[in-house]
Amino acid sequence: MKIIEEFLESKDIRVTAMRLLIYKFLAEKQVAVTLSDIENAFEKADRTTLYRTIKTFEEKDIVHQIGDGTGITKYALCEKGCNCEIETDLHLHFHCNNCNETICLTEHKIPQIKVPDGFVSENVNLVVKGICDKCSGQ
Amino acid sequence: MKIIEEFLESKDIRVTAMRLLIYKFLAEKQVAVTLSDIENAFEKADRTTLYRTIKTFEEKDIVHQIGDGTGITKYALCEKGCNCEIETDLHLHFHCNNCNETICLTEHKIPQIKVPDGFVSENVNLVVKGICDKCSGQ
DNA sequence: CAATAAATGCACTTCCATTGCATTGGTTAT
DNA sequence: ATAACCAATGCAATGGAAGTGCATTTATTG
């Protein structure tokens, strides 16, 4: 817990009880979560607080947003190897069509994508859909 | 126009004036459009009709949906080379951060993405973001 | 302890997606 | 041709998620 506090401070994020809890929640989750997921986990807290906390985390580059095609934006902690603050970083995510969970595959880099002449690639969003390891193992 | 009629019939879609117009609209557009775009183009028609028409087109595999990260779903006609009814087809789209338009790059195939053991890849959604040819040429 | 600034909570708004139901319009069978 | 039927359309309403304004609480600083 102390470690989290120091980490947040190092990222220029003021430490509050709520923020510690939300960070802890994200860290324990192995998958990307929606705002509703967080909401359900902290029913005492107001939705706005959770929303703004996530936004703060995003601005300070410790959380990144994922659009996995479900229409609902999900969030995940940036881990080692996730350089999402860098525009050219490739975000590879896996969305399970069975359990509906989205997982960060930060260790799986993808090759540079070629685009036609005249187009300038700044950022790539790649979502692989299928069956995750938990669901395929059943 | 006769060609469109025959095409729709061949896809098991009942031909109506509205459907012909919407198909024509999509065919003329070179970019993926939102429901609002269609709505603006056909102010006389009801939003629901446009919505359901697009859904019908989707079910019959002549239109596919694109989530480009803007949060608003876009739609585009499936063209030659677009086999979006096939699960393993790779959808490559380009989203311009300047003009906000999304373009289908069906001719640009991308290599098979490797996923970790236990994961089964069924479908890949790839959106490249940057500046499109029109905007970069300014 | 006072003054200030940030964080939280509440209420409200907006936008898009979606559905139920009534109505219209086109197709088919008698 | 007409009745019966089913699909398409239009209208109204709902729901969910994102986002904003403002009051209040909490924390920090002088």
Side-chain angles (χ1 to χ4, degrees), chain B residues 14 35-36 47-48 51-52 55 72-73:
Chain B
R14 290 172 68 147
L35 201 60
S36 297
R47 186 187 165 77
T48 314
Y51 174 74
R52 286 202 249 245
K55 287 294 166 192
I72 303 160
T73 53

PDB file of all heavy atoms in Angstrom, chain B residues 14 35-36 47-48 51-52 55 72-73, chain C residues 15-21 25-27:
ATOM      1  N   ARG B  14     -35.497  -7.396 -49.491  1.00  0.00           N
ATOM      2  CA  ARG B  14     -36.637  -6.860 -50.234  1.00  0.00           C
ATOM      3  C   ARG B  14     -36.355  -5.437 -50.653  1.00  0.00           C
ATOM      4  O   ARG B  14     -35.863  -4.612 -49.854  1.00  0.00           O
ATOM      5  CB  ARG B  14     -37.897  -6.936 -49.385  1.00  0.00           C
ATOM      6  CG  ARG B  14     -38.354  -8.365 -49.197  1.00  0.00           C
ATOM      7  CD  ARG B  14     -39.470  -8.455 -48.203  1.00  0.00           C
ATOM      8  NE  ARG B  14     -40.684  -7.839 -48.703  1.00  0.00           N
ATOM      9  CZ  ARG B  14     -41.899  -8.289 -48.399  1.00  0.00           C
ATOM     10  NH1 ARG B  14     -42.029  -9.345 -47.635  1.00  0.00           N
ATOM     11  NH2 ARG B  14     -42.951  -7.675 -48.851  1.00  0.00           N
ATOM     12  N   LEU B  35     -24.650   6.842 -38.319  1.00  0.00           N
ATOM     13  CA  LEU B  35     -26.099   6.889 -38.513  1.00  0.00           C
ATOM     14  C   LEU B  35     -26.553   8.335 -38.680  1.00  0.00           C
ATOM     15  O   LEU B  35     -27.443   8.627 -39.489  1.00  0.00           O
ATOM     16  CB  LEU B  35     -26.792   6.253 -37.304  1.00  0.00           C
ATOM     17  CG  LEU B  35     -28.219   5.784 -37.560  1.00  0.00           C
ATOM     18  CD1 LEU B  35     -28.236   4.748 -38.658  1.00  0.00           C
ATOM     19  CD2 LEU B  35     -28.812   5.235 -36.297  1.00  0.00           C
ATOM     20  N   SER B  36     -25.918   9.229 -37.957  1.00  0.00           N
ATOM     21  CA  SER B  36     -26.267  10.649 -38.064  1.00  0.00           C
ATOM     22  C   SER B  36     -25.978  11.184 -39.454  1.00  0.00           C
ATOM     23  O   SER B  36     -26.724  12.021 -39.969  1.00  0.00           O
ATOM     24  CB  SER B  36     -25.498  11.461 -37.030  1.00  0.00           C
ATOM     25  OG  SER B  36     -25.854  11.061 -35.731  1.00  0.00           O
ATOM     26  N   ARG B  47     -35.432   8.212 -38.266  1.00  0.00           N
ATOM     27  CA  ARG B  47     -34.163   7.665 -37.816  1.00  0.00           C
ATOM     28  C   ARG B  47     -34.223   6.150 -37.658  1.00  0.00           C
ATOM     29  O   ARG B  47     -33.279   5.433 -37.980  1.00  0.00           O
ATOM     30  CB  ARG B  47     -33.822   8.316 -36.472  1.00  0.00           C
ATOM     31  CG  ARG B  47     -32.485   7.975 -35.943  1.00  0.00           C
ATOM     32  CD  ARG B  47     -32.316   8.537 -34.527  1.00  0.00           C
ATOM     33  NE  ARG B  47     -31.185   7.903 -33.915  1.00  0.00           N
ATOM     34  CZ  ARG B  47     -29.921   8.226 -34.189  1.00  0.00           C
ATOM     35  NH1 ARG B  47     -29.675   9.181 -35.042  1.00  0.00           N
ATOM     36  NH2 ARG B  47     -28.936   7.589 -33.632  1.00  0.00           N
ATOM     37  N   THR B  48     -35.341   5.675 -37.144  1.00  0.00           N
ATOM     38  CA  THR B  48     -35.500   4.242 -36.924  1.00  0.00           C
ATOM     39  C   THR B  48     -35.404   3.455 -38.221  1.00  0.00           C
ATOM     40  O   THR B  48     -34.795   2.392 -38.280  1.00  0.00           O
ATOM     41  CB  THR B  48     -36.858   3.951 -36.263  1.00  0.00           C
ATOM     42  OG1 THR B  48     -37.056   4.855 -35.203  1.00  0.00           O
ATOM     43  CG2 THR B  48     -36.916   2.539 -35.779  1.00  0.00           C
ATOM     44  N   TYR B  51     -31.881   3.261 -39.240  1.00  0.00           N
ATOM     45  CA  TYR B  51     -31.206   2.342 -38.324  1.00  0.00           C
ATOM     46  C   TYR B  51     -31.482   0.895 -38.702  1.00  0.00           C
ATOM     47  O   TYR B  51     -30.573   0.084 -38.864  1.00  0.00           O
ATOM     48  CB  TYR B  51     -31.665   2.622 -36.892  1.00  0.00           C
ATOM     49  CG  TYR B  51     -31.161   1.646 -35.872  1.00  0.00           C
ATOM     50  CD1 TYR B  51     -29.833   1.681 -35.448  1.00  0.00           C
ATOM     51  CD2 TYR B  51     -32.004   0.681 -35.334  1.00  0.00           C
ATOM     52  CE1 TYR B  51     -29.372   0.783 -34.505  1.00  0.00           C
ATOM     53  CE2 TYR B  51     -31.546  -0.212 -34.388  1.00  0.00           C
ATOM     54  CZ  TYR B  51     -30.226  -0.163 -33.983  1.00  0.00           C
ATOM     55  OH  TYR B  51     -29.778  -1.053 -33.058  1.00  0.00           O
ATOM     56  N   ARG B  52     -32.767   0.588 -38.901  1.00  0.00           N
ATOM     57  CA  ARG B  52     -33.114  -0.796 -39.192  1.00  0.00           C
ATOM     58  C   ARG B  52     -32.660  -1.212 -40.585  1.00  0.00           C
ATOM     59  O   ARG B  52     -32.338  -2.379 -40.825  1.00  0.00           O
ATOM     60  CB  ARG B  52     -34.619  -0.989 -39.019  1.00  0.00           C
ATOM     61  CG  ARG B  52     -34.995  -1.008 -37.539  1.00  0.00           C
ATOM     62  CD  ARG B  52     -36.317  -1.696 -37.308  1.00  0.00           C
ATOM     63  NE  ARG B  52     -37.344  -0.752 -36.878  1.00  0.00           N
ATOM     64  CZ  ARG B  52     -37.934  -0.782 -35.686  1.00  0.00           C
ATOM     65  NH1 ARG B  52     -37.626  -1.691 -34.810  1.00  0.00           N
ATOM     66  NH2 ARG B  52     -38.859   0.103 -35.372  1.00  0.00           N
ATOM     67  N   LYS B  55     -29.141  -2.169 -40.192  1.00  0.00           N
ATOM     68  CA  LYS B  55     -29.071  -3.453 -39.493  1.00  0.00           C
ATOM     69  C   LYS B  55     -29.408  -4.596 -40.447  1.00  0.00           C
ATOM     70  O   LYS B  55     -28.790  -5.667 -40.397  1.00  0.00           O
ATOM     71  CB  LYS B  55     -30.037  -3.459 -38.299  1.00  0.00           C
ATOM     72  CG  LYS B  55     -29.578  -2.610 -37.140  1.00  0.00           C
ATOM     73  CD  LYS B  55     -28.312  -3.166 -36.510  1.00  0.00           C
ATOM     74  CE  LYS B  55     -27.667  -2.156 -35.577  1.00  0.00           C
ATOM     75  NZ  LYS B  55     -26.294  -2.551 -35.184  1.00  0.00           N
ATOM     76  N   ILE B  72     -18.527   6.436 -31.703  1.00  0.00           N
ATOM     77  CA  ILE B  72     -19.712   6.370 -32.548  1.00  0.00           C
ATOM     78  C   ILE B  72     -19.471   5.316 -33.617  1.00  0.00           C
ATOM     79  O   ILE B  72     -18.482   5.376 -34.343  1.00  0.00           O
ATOM     80  CB  ILE B  72     -19.992   7.733 -33.211  1.00  0.00           C
ATOM     81  CG1 ILE B  72     -20.151   8.795 -32.120  1.00  0.00           C
ATOM     82  CG2 ILE B  72     -21.227   7.657 -34.079  1.00  0.00           C
ATOM     83  CD1 ILE B  72     -19.949  10.194 -32.614  1.00  0.00           C
ATOM     84  N   THR B  73     -20.366   4.357 -33.709  1.00  0.00           N
ATOM     85  CA  THR B  73     -20.164   3.289 -34.681  1.00  0.00           C
ATOM     86  C   THR B  73     -20.415   3.805 -36.091  1.00  0.00           C
ATOM     87  O   THR B  73     -21.331   4.578 -36.334  1.00  0.00           O
ATOM     88  CB  THR B  73     -21.100   2.113 -34.402  1.00  0.00           C
ATOM     89  OG1 THR B  73     -22.431   2.587 -34.310  1.00  0.00           O
ATOM     90  CG2 THR B  73     -20.738   1.408 -33.115  1.00  0.00           C
TER      91      THR B  73
ATOM     92  P    DC C  15     -26.343  16.865 -27.944  1.00  0.00           P
ATOM     93  OP1  DC C  15     -25.586  17.939 -28.613  1.00  0.00           O
ATOM     94  OP2  DC C  15     -27.827  16.793 -28.058  1.00  0.00           O
ATOM     95  O5'  DC C  15     -25.751  15.471 -28.424  1.00  0.00           O
ATOM     96  C5'  DC C  15     -24.544  14.980 -27.827  1.00  0.00           C
ATOM     97  C4'  DC C  15     -24.515  13.477 -27.960  1.00  0.00           C
ATOM     98  O4'  DC C  15     -25.214  12.874 -26.851  1.00  0.00           O
ATOM     99  C3'  DC C  15     -25.197  12.953 -29.234  1.00  0.00           C
ATOM    100  O3'  DC C  15     -24.277  12.144 -29.942  1.00  0.00           O
ATOM    101  C2'  DC C  15     -26.386  12.147 -28.717  1.00  0.00           C
ATOM    102  C1'  DC C  15     -25.924  11.755 -27.325  1.00  0.00           C
ATOM    103  N1   DC C  15     -27.005  11.451 -26.361  1.00  0.00           N
ATOM    104  C2   DC C  15     -26.876  10.319 -25.532  1.00  0.00           C
ATOM    105  O2   DC C  15     -25.869   9.613 -25.634  1.00  0.00           O
ATOM    106  N3   DC C  15     -27.860  10.050 -24.651  1.00  0.00           N
ATOM    107  C4   DC C  15     -28.935  10.842 -24.574  1.00  0.00           C
ATOM    108  N4   DC C  15     -29.872  10.528 -23.682  1.00  0.00           N
ATOM    109  C5   DC C  15     -29.086  11.992 -25.412  1.00  0.00           C
ATOM    110  C6   DC C  15     -28.098  12.261 -26.288  1.00  0.00           C
ATOM    111  P    DC C  16     -24.564  11.824 -31.477  1.00  0.00           P
ATOM    112  OP1  DC C  16     -23.320  12.131 -32.206  1.00  0.00           O
ATOM    113  OP2  DC C  16     -25.846  12.414 -31.873  1.00  0.00           O
ATOM    114  O5'  DC C  16     -24.718  10.239 -31.465  1.00  0.00           O
ATOM    115  C5'  DC C  16     -23.762   9.466 -30.748  1.00  0.00           C
ATOM    116  C4'  DC C  16     -24.392   8.173 -30.289  1.00  0.00           C
ATOM    117  O4'  DC C  16     -25.404   8.444 -29.307  1.00  0.00           O
ATOM    118  C3'  DC C  16     -25.074   7.354 -31.383  1.00  0.00           C
ATOM    119  O3'  DC C  16     -24.369   6.135 -31.516  1.00  0.00           O
ATOM    120  C2'  DC C  16     -26.513   7.191 -30.895  1.00  0.00           C
ATOM    121  C1'  DC C  16     -26.379   7.434 -29.396  1.00  0.00           C
ATOM    122  N1   DC C  16     -27.597   7.902 -28.706  1.00  0.00           N
ATOM    123  C2   DC C  16     -28.081   7.184 -27.605  1.00  0.00           C
ATOM    124  O2   DC C  16     -27.484   6.163 -27.243  1.00  0.00           O
ATOM    125  N3   DC C  16     -29.194   7.621 -26.966  1.00  0.00           N
ATOM    126  C4   DC C  16     -29.808   8.729 -27.384  1.00  0.00           C
ATOM    127  N4   DC C  16     -30.903   9.123 -26.716  1.00  0.00           N
ATOM    128  C5   DC C  16     -29.334   9.479 -28.505  1.00  0.00           C
ATOM    129  C6   DC C  16     -28.224   9.034 -29.133  1.00  0.00           C
ATOM    130  P    DA C  17     -24.823   5.055 -32.598  1.00  0.00           P
ATOM    131  OP1  DA C  17     -23.606   4.363 -33.047  1.00  0.00           O
ATOM    132  OP2  DA C  17     -25.715   5.717 -33.566  1.00  0.00           O
ATOM    133  O5'  DA C  17     -25.686   4.027 -31.729  1.00  0.00           O
ATOM    134  C5'  DA C  17     -25.129   3.532 -30.520  1.00  0.00           C
ATOM    135  C4'  DA C  17     -26.129   2.622 -29.833  1.00  0.00           C
ATOM    136  O4'  DA C  17     -27.175   3.416 -29.232  1.00  0.00           O
ATOM    137  C3'  DA C  17     -26.811   1.606 -30.734  1.00  0.00           C
ATOM    138  O3'  DA C  17     -26.774   0.336 -30.095  1.00  0.00           O
ATOM    139  C2'  DA C  17     -28.232   2.157 -30.887  1.00  0.00           C
ATOM    140  C1'  DA C  17     -28.436   2.887 -29.568  1.00  0.00           C
ATOM    141  N9   DA C  17     -29.359   4.012 -29.604  1.00  0.00           N
ATOM    142  C8   DA C  17     -29.360   5.050 -30.496  1.00  0.00           C
ATOM    143  N7   DA C  17     -30.305   5.936 -30.276  1.00  0.00           N
ATOM    144  C5   DA C  17     -30.972   5.443 -29.157  1.00  0.00           C
ATOM    145  C6   DA C  17     -32.074   5.928 -28.430  1.00  0.00           C
ATOM    146  N6   DA C  17     -32.729   7.058 -28.719  1.00  0.00           N
ATOM    147  N1   DA C  17     -32.485   5.191 -27.370  1.00  0.00           N
ATOM    148  C2   DA C  17     -31.828   4.056 -27.074  1.00  0.00           C
ATOM    149  N3   DA C  17     -30.774   3.512 -27.693  1.00  0.00           N
ATOM    150  C4   DA C  17     -30.400   4.262 -28.740  1.00  0.00           C
ATOM    151  P    DT C  18     -27.325  -0.970 -30.798  1.00  0.00           P
ATOM    152  OP1  DT C  18     -26.622  -2.126 -30.223  1.00  0.00           O
ATOM    153  OP2  DT C  18     -27.280  -0.727 -32.251  1.00  0.00           O
ATOM    154  O5'  DT C  18     -28.835  -1.049 -30.330  1.00  0.00           O
ATOM    155  C5'  DT C  18     -29.107  -1.015 -28.921  1.00  0.00           C
ATOM    156  C4'  DT C  18     -30.595  -0.955 -28.683  1.00  0.00           C
ATOM    157  O4'  DT C  18     -31.084   0.371 -28.926  1.00  0.00           O
ATOM    158  C3'  DT C  18     -31.441  -1.879 -29.572  1.00  0.00           C
ATOM    159  O3'  DT C  18     -31.969  -2.897 -28.747  1.00  0.00           O
ATOM    160  C2'  DT C  18     -32.507  -0.964 -30.161  1.00  0.00           C
ATOM    161  C1'  DT C  18     -32.453   0.226 -29.224  1.00  0.00           C
ATOM    162  N1   DT C  18     -32.919   1.518 -29.779  1.00  0.00           N
ATOM    163  C2   DT C  18     -33.980   2.138 -29.152  1.00  0.00           C
ATOM    164  O2   DT C  18     -34.530   1.675 -28.170  1.00  0.00           O
ATOM    165  N3   DT C  18     -34.366   3.339 -29.721  1.00  0.00           N
ATOM    166  C4   DT C  18     -33.808   3.951 -30.826  1.00  0.00           C
ATOM    167  O4   DT C  18     -34.247   5.016 -31.231  1.00  0.00           O
ATOM    168  C5   DT C  18     -32.708   3.246 -31.439  1.00  0.00           C
ATOM    169  C7   DT C  18     -32.035   3.819 -32.646  1.00  0.00           C
ATOM    170  C6   DT C  18     -32.327   2.083 -30.891  1.00  0.00           C
ATOM    171  P    DT C  19     -32.846  -4.093 -29.346  1.00  0.00           P
ATOM    172  OP1  DT C  19     -32.444  -5.321 -28.656  1.00  0.00           O
ATOM    173  OP2  DT C  19     -32.801  -4.015 -30.813  1.00  0.00           O
ATOM    174  O5'  DT C  19     -34.327  -3.720 -28.866  1.00  0.00           O
ATOM    175  C5'  DT C  19     -34.512  -3.202 -27.556  1.00  0.00           C
ATOM    176  C4'  DT C  19     -35.952  -2.749 -27.395  1.00  0.00           C
ATOM    177  O4'  DT C  19     -36.107  -1.409 -27.930  1.00  0.00           O
ATOM    178  C3'  DT C  19     -36.993  -3.621 -28.099  1.00  0.00           C
ATOM    179  O3'  DT C  19     -38.026  -3.936 -27.179  1.00  0.00           O
ATOM    180  C2'  DT C  19     -37.493  -2.739 -29.245  1.00  0.00           C
ATOM    181  C1'  DT C  19     -37.295  -1.349 -28.667  1.00  0.00           C
ATOM    182  N1   DT C  19     -37.119  -0.272 -29.677  1.00  0.00           N
ATOM    183  C2   DT C  19     -37.836   0.891 -29.533  1.00  0.00           C
ATOM    184  O2   DT C  19     -38.607   1.079 -28.620  1.00  0.00           O
ATOM    185  N3   DT C  19     -37.599   1.829 -30.510  1.00  0.00           N
ATOM    186  C4   DT C  19     -36.738   1.720 -31.578  1.00  0.00           C
ATOM    187  O4   DT C  19     -36.608   2.628 -32.382  1.00  0.00           O
ATOM    188  C5   DT C  19     -36.014   0.468 -31.674  1.00  0.00           C
ATOM    189  C7   DT C  19     -35.060   0.244 -32.794  1.00  0.00           C
ATOM    190  C6   DT C  19     -36.237  -0.451 -30.731  1.00  0.00           C
ATOM    191  P    DG C  20     -39.189  -4.932 -27.525  1.00  0.00           P
ATOM    192  OP1  DG C  20     -39.316  -5.861 -26.383  1.00  0.00           O
ATOM    193  OP2  DG C  20     -38.989  -5.462 -28.887  1.00  0.00           O
ATOM    194  O5'  DG C  20     -40.454  -3.980 -27.528  1.00  0.00           O
ATOM    195  C5'  DG C  20     -40.672  -3.079 -26.444  1.00  0.00           C
ATOM    196  C4'  DG C  20     -42.029  -2.426 -26.569  1.00  0.00           C
ATOM    197  O4'  DG C  20     -41.922  -1.275 -27.444  1.00  0.00           O
ATOM    198  C3'  DG C  20     -43.114  -3.305 -27.174  1.00  0.00           C
ATOM    199  O3'  DG C  20     -44.364  -2.963 -26.572  1.00  0.00           O
ATOM    200  C2'  DG C  20     -43.064  -2.961 -28.656  1.00  0.00           C
ATOM    201  C1'  DG C  20     -42.674  -1.473 -28.624  1.00  0.00           C
ATOM    202  N9   DG C  20     -41.840  -1.041 -29.741  1.00  0.00           N
ATOM    203  C8   DG C  20     -40.824  -1.731 -30.348  1.00  0.00           C
ATOM    204  N7   DG C  20     -40.245  -1.079 -31.320  1.00  0.00           N
ATOM    205  C5   DG C  20     -40.923   0.133 -31.356  1.00  0.00           C
ATOM    206  C6   DG C  20     -40.747   1.256 -32.201  1.00  0.00           C
ATOM    207  O6   DG C  20     -39.933   1.407 -33.117  1.00  0.00           O
ATOM    208  N1   DG C  20     -41.654   2.274 -31.896  1.00  0.00           N
ATOM    209  C2   DG C  20     -42.602   2.213 -30.908  1.00  0.00           C
ATOM    210  N2   DG C  20     -43.382   3.275 -30.769  1.00  0.00           N
ATOM    211  N3   DG C  20     -42.781   1.172 -30.110  1.00  0.00           N
ATOM    212  C4   DG C  20     -41.907   0.173 -30.389  1.00  0.00           C
ATOM    213  P    DC C  21     -45.710  -3.711 -26.959  1.00  0.00           P
ATOM    214  OP1  DC C  21     -46.512  -3.794 -25.728  1.00  0.00           O
ATOM    215  OP2  DC C  21     -45.391  -4.931 -27.733  1.00  0.00           O
ATOM    216  O5'  DC C  21     -46.421  -2.683 -27.935  1.00  0.00           O
ATOM    217  C5'  DC C  21     -46.496  -1.300 -27.572  1.00  0.00           C
ATOM    218  C4'  DC C  21     -47.060  -0.496 -28.719  1.00  0.00           C
ATOM    219  O4'  DC C  21     -45.994  -0.188 -29.656  1.00  0.00           O
ATOM    220  C3'  DC C  21     -48.146  -1.216 -29.529  1.00  0.00           C
ATOM    221  O3'  DC C  21     -49.188  -0.311 -29.819  1.00  0.00           O
ATOM    222  C2'  DC C  21     -47.409  -1.638 -30.791  1.00  0.00           C
ATOM    223  C1'  DC C  21     -46.470  -0.455 -30.962  1.00  0.00           C
ATOM    224  N1   DC C  21     -45.303  -0.712 -31.832  1.00  0.00           N
ATOM    225  C2   DC C  21     -44.863   0.313 -32.693  1.00  0.00           C
ATOM    226  O2   DC C  21     -45.454   1.392 -32.679  1.00  0.00           O
ATOM    227  N3   DC C  21     -43.800   0.073 -33.503  1.00  0.00           N
ATOM    228  C4   DC C  21     -43.188  -1.108 -33.480  1.00  0.00           C
ATOM    229  N4   DC C  21     -42.148  -1.284 -34.290  1.00  0.00           N
ATOM    230  C5   DC C  21     -43.632  -2.163 -32.621  1.00  0.00           C
ATOM    231  C6   DC C  21     -44.667  -1.918 -31.823  1.00  0.00           C
ATOM    232  P    DG C  25     -48.944   4.342 -47.584  1.00  0.00           P
ATOM    233  OP1  DG C  25     -48.235   5.490 -48.187  1.00  0.00           O
ATOM    234  OP2  DG C  25     -50.414   4.202 -47.738  1.00  0.00           O
ATOM    235  O5'  DG C  25     -48.250   3.012 -48.113  1.00  0.00           O
ATOM    236  C5'  DG C  25     -46.877   2.763 -47.793  1.00  0.00           C
ATOM    237  C4'  DG C  25     -46.488   1.391 -48.320  1.00  0.00           C
ATOM    238  O4'  DG C  25     -46.921   0.375 -47.385  1.00  0.00           O
ATOM    239  C3'  DG C  25     -47.135   1.031 -49.666  1.00  0.00           C
ATOM    240  O3'  DG C  25     -46.168   0.382 -50.487  1.00  0.00           O
ATOM    241  C2'  DG C  25     -48.253   0.086 -49.277  1.00  0.00           C
ATOM    242  C1'  DG C  25     -47.632  -0.624 -48.080  1.00  0.00           C
ATOM    243  N9   DG C  25     -48.588  -1.209 -47.152  1.00  0.00           N
ATOM    244  C8   DG C  25     -49.756  -0.652 -46.691  1.00  0.00           C
ATOM    245  N7   DG C  25     -50.399  -1.427 -45.854  1.00  0.00           N
ATOM    246  C5   DG C  25     -49.601  -2.566 -45.765  1.00  0.00           C
ATOM    247  C6   DG C  25     -49.790  -3.757 -45.003  1.00  0.00           C
ATOM    248  O6   DG C  25     -50.724  -4.046 -44.240  1.00  0.00           O
ATOM    249  N1   DG C  25     -48.747  -4.644 -45.218  1.00  0.00           N
ATOM    250  C2   DG C  25     -47.661  -4.434 -46.031  1.00  0.00           C
ATOM    251  N2   DG C  25     -46.759  -5.402 -46.097  1.00  0.00           N
ATOM    252  N3   DG C  25     -47.475  -3.334 -46.740  1.00  0.00           N
ATOM    253  C4   DG C  25     -48.484  -2.445 -46.560  1.00  0.00           C
ATOM    254  P    DG C  26     -46.458   0.222 -52.048  1.00  0.00           P
ATOM    255  OP1  DG C  26     -45.672   1.238 -52.770  1.00  0.00           O
ATOM    256  OP2  DG C  26     -47.916   0.130 -52.262  1.00  0.00           O
ATOM    257  O5'  DG C  26     -45.802  -1.193 -52.331  1.00  0.00           O
ATOM    258  C5'  DG C  26     -44.741  -1.665 -51.493  1.00  0.00           C
ATOM    259  C4'  DG C  26     -44.868  -3.163 -51.288  1.00  0.00           C
ATOM    260  O4'  DG C  26     -45.901  -3.442 -50.310  1.00  0.00           O
ATOM    261  C3'  DG C  26     -45.244  -3.937 -52.550  1.00  0.00           C
ATOM    262  O3'  DG C  26     -44.466  -5.126 -52.588  1.00  0.00           O
ATOM    263  C2'  DG C  26     -46.722  -4.252 -52.344  1.00  0.00           C
ATOM    264  C1'  DG C  26     -46.749  -4.460 -50.831  1.00  0.00           C
ATOM    265  N9   DG C  26     -48.033  -4.315 -50.173  1.00  0.00           N
ATOM    266  C8   DG C  26     -48.920  -3.264 -50.285  1.00  0.00           C
ATOM    267  N7   DG C  26     -49.991  -3.422 -49.539  1.00  0.00           N
ATOM    268  C5   DG C  26     -49.800  -4.655 -48.914  1.00  0.00           C
ATOM    269  C6   DG C  26     -50.631  -5.355 -48.001  1.00  0.00           C
ATOM    270  O6   DG C  26     -51.720  -5.018 -47.541  1.00  0.00           O
ATOM    271  N1   DG C  26     -50.051  -6.574 -47.612  1.00  0.00           N
ATOM    272  C2   DG C  26     -48.840  -7.036 -48.074  1.00  0.00           C
ATOM    273  N2   DG C  26     -48.448  -8.222 -47.600  1.00  0.00           N
ATOM    274  N3   DG C  26     -48.057  -6.390 -48.925  1.00  0.00           N
ATOM    275  C4   DG C  26     -48.603  -5.222 -49.302  1.00  0.00           C
ATOM    276  P    DT C  27     -44.344  -5.970 -53.973  1.00  0.00           P
ATOM    277  OP1  DT C  27     -42.982  -5.798 -54.455  1.00  0.00           O
ATOM    278  OP2  DT C  27     -45.506  -5.643 -54.849  1.00  0.00           O
ATOM    279  O5'  DT C  27     -44.514  -7.470 -53.458  1.00  0.00           O
ATOM    280  C5'  DT C  27     -45.110  -7.656 -52.175  1.00  0.00           C
ATOM    281  C4'  DT C  27     -45.281  -9.124 -51.865  1.00  0.00           C
ATOM    282  O4'  DT C  27     -46.462  -9.236 -51.035  1.00  0.00           O
ATOM    283  C3'  DT C  27     -45.548 -10.042 -53.048  1.00  0.00           C
ATOM    284  O3'  DT C  27     -45.117 -11.350 -52.714  1.00  0.00           O
ATOM    285  C2'  DT C  27     -47.050  -9.915 -53.222  1.00  0.00           C
ATOM    286  C1'  DT C  27     -47.530  -9.791 -51.768  1.00  0.00           C
ATOM    287  N1   DT C  27     -48.713  -8.905 -51.570  1.00  0.00           N
ATOM    288  C2   DT C  27     -49.668  -9.285 -50.650  1.00  0.00           C
ATOM    289  O2   DT C  27     -49.584 -10.297 -49.996  1.00  0.00           O
ATOM    290  N3   DT C  27     -50.727  -8.414 -50.524  1.00  0.00           N
ATOM    291  C4   DT C  27     -50.920  -7.230 -51.221  1.00  0.00           C
ATOM    292  O4   DT C  27     -51.910  -6.534 -51.025  1.00  0.00           O
ATOM    293  C5   DT C  27     -49.881  -6.895 -52.174  1.00  0.00           C
ATOM    294  C7   DT C  27     -49.987  -5.644 -52.976  1.00  0.00           C
ATOM    295  C6   DT C  27     -48.836  -7.747 -52.296  1.00  0.00           C
TER     296       DT C  27
END
